[in-house]
Amino acid sequence: MAKTQLNVRVDETTAETARERASQRGISVNRYIEELVQRDEGENGRAFVQAAADFMKQYEQVFAEEFGSRDDAPGEGRGEGPR
């Protein structure tokens, strides 16, 4: 994967902490920052999926009333194929 250079400014304490954490893990500061961003993105993805599941559960009855339940769909869940 191609890499893009990203320059950021942080205070010295943050920079030193990043260096220490990266060193403790045996990786470069670049890799450490990259992993932090990827982990954050993963957490956002999980939060989105959880929020969507919560929404669907909360409004399950509304959807069932509007569109019918899965039990109403022909061939769904009963081992029957399309007609």
Side-chain angles (χ1 to χ4, degrees), residues 6 9 12 27 38 54 67 70:
L6 177 65
R9 293 184 184 273
E12 188 55 40
I27 59 177
Q38 289 170 347
D54 291 345
F67 302 106
R70 287 185 57 83

Side-chain angles (χ1 to χ4, degrees), residues 9-51:
R9 293 184 184 273
V10 297
D11 60 62
E12 188 55 40
T13 302
T14 301
E16 188 55 36
T17 300
R19 288 184 199 105
E20 288 173 5
R21 297 285 172 94
S23 177
Q24 290 168 354
R25 296 181 63 195
I27 59 177
S28 69
V29 173
N30 287 338
R31 182 68 191 150
Y32 177 68
I33 299 299
E34 188 174 26
E35 288 179 5
L36 288 176
V37 172
Q38 289 170 347
R39 186 174 352 162
D40 184 54
E41 182 62 26
E43 290 170 5
N44 288 338
R46 285 188 292 280
F48 172 80
V49 169
Q50 184 60 52

